Amino acid sequence: MNIVFMGTPDFAAANLKAISDAGHTILAAVSQPDKPVGRHSDLKPTPVKLTAQALGIPVLQPSRADDPEFLDRIRELDPELIVVTAYGKLLKPELLSIPKHGCINVHASILPRWRGAAPINWAVIEGDTEVGVTAMQMDEGLDTGDILMVRKITPAPDETGGSLFDKLSLLGGQLITDTISALEAGSLNRVPQPQEGVCYASMLNKDMGNIDWQLPAQRIERLIRGLYPWPGCYTFFNGKLLKLHKASLLTDEEYKRTIPENAVPGTCICFGTRMAVVCGSGAIELLELQPESKKRMSAADYLRGNRPQGLFGKER
């Protein structure tokens, strides 16, 4: 099938490669413009652009997906289908109507749960026991189109945003190739999304990682996993930033044995080569952390040179 692919991040790049590996003709890969990064504002190409170039696929990078010249170019290419994965912008009817099979989107959630920008991270933060990817027929709304196919998996107990990203990237590649095969065979069934269960995955920002120790331990532990590797979680101790890379829940038995009855949220408790922080309810054990201006290390290594006493806090 002749396809135009639209996407930007690593998740989309994996889908692009899967479609190419399946033998389809990709007429062009459309991605967001390169962004300036670093001190010298060097332009950094998107993962989809890099993947397309490696596969010998022409790349288009319009500033707007409704730009008339871009729309004319897509009409010239005359794709049978446009596949969209994490492109980053809503598409207008003028583009959606160009291919005879319309536009199919691969979204990293079980729709209608977690429509929006960061479904993988929010699934971890909220403790979802079932996650997956959905192929949907695109319309003008934000992830509101009819469902074509769904693939589901059970996340691991220690799943992070990063590890789930990798799993769903592979699953998304399998899903889109299966969806295209079903489309070619005429066996796709369109199912409208239910109105119940709709929720939105808002964009992530660095402030989300500033831990509020008044929250329950389970919520904080999931935040640390869900926001890893970006934007990451952190706290402050003695006026210095402390990044929190990995943690676990302190068991009820360990809590009773190690945490003083009068300990308030944010209190750091060290015992042996281990360290825990009291939360609004329960406590978490810090396993891997990173002091300001230093490398990531285990809690045991950190405690060899530090013995924090007092409160961790949200601000300097």
Side-chain angles (χ1 to χ4, degrees), residues 3-173:
I3 296 169
V4 165
F5 183 88
M6 300 182 70
T8 299
D10 290 310
F11 187 90
N15 284 201
L16 172 61
K17 188 173 187 308
I19 296 170
S20 176
D21 289 347
H24 298 287
T25 300
I26 303 176
L27 303 171
V30 183
S31 193
Q32 293 291 312
D34 297 349
K35 290 187 177 181
V37 296
R39 181 180 303 174
H40 302 291
S41 295
D42 296 325
L43 292 178
K44 181 179 180 181
T46 70
V48 161
K49 179 178 182 178
L50 291 173
T51 299
Q53 289 175 331
L55 294 170
I57 299 169
V59 177
L60 304 176
Q61 294 180 279
S63 57
R64 299 190 342 264
D66 61 352
D67 179 81
E69 290 186 8
F70 169 69
L71 293 175
D72 287 343
R73 178 62 180 139
I74 298 300
R75 292 188 185 100
E76 290 174 4
L77 290 172
D78 193 25
E80 298 171 86
L81 173 70
I82 293 178
V83 173
V84 183
T85 305
Y87 176 63
K89 300 288 183 181
L90 287 175
L91 305 186
K92 300 291 182 65
E94 291 84 355
L95 179 58
L96 296 174
S97 62
I98 290 175
K100 73 174 183 179
H101 294 301
C103 301
I104 292 178
N105 177 256
V106 178
H107 186 71
S109 79
I110 304 171
L111 290 171
R113 185 165 176 79
W114 301 130
R115 294 174 178 171
I120 295 174
N121 305 85
W122 283 106
V124 176
I125 292 169
E126 294 298 329
D128 288 7
T129 56
E130 187 176 56
V131 296
V133 286
T134 301
M136 67 171 179
Q137 192 76 41
M138 293 183 69
D139 58 19
E140 295 179 59
L142 177 62
D143 302 324
T144 55
D146 292 348
I147 293 173
L148 304 174
M149 243 182 225
V150 180
R151 294 288 183 270
K152 303 176 183 180
I153 60 172
T154 300
D158 61 348
E159 203 78 73
T160 67
S163 64
L164 187 56
F165 181 99
D166 292 340
K167 292 178 182 178
L168 294 186
S169 292
L170 293 174
L171 196 63

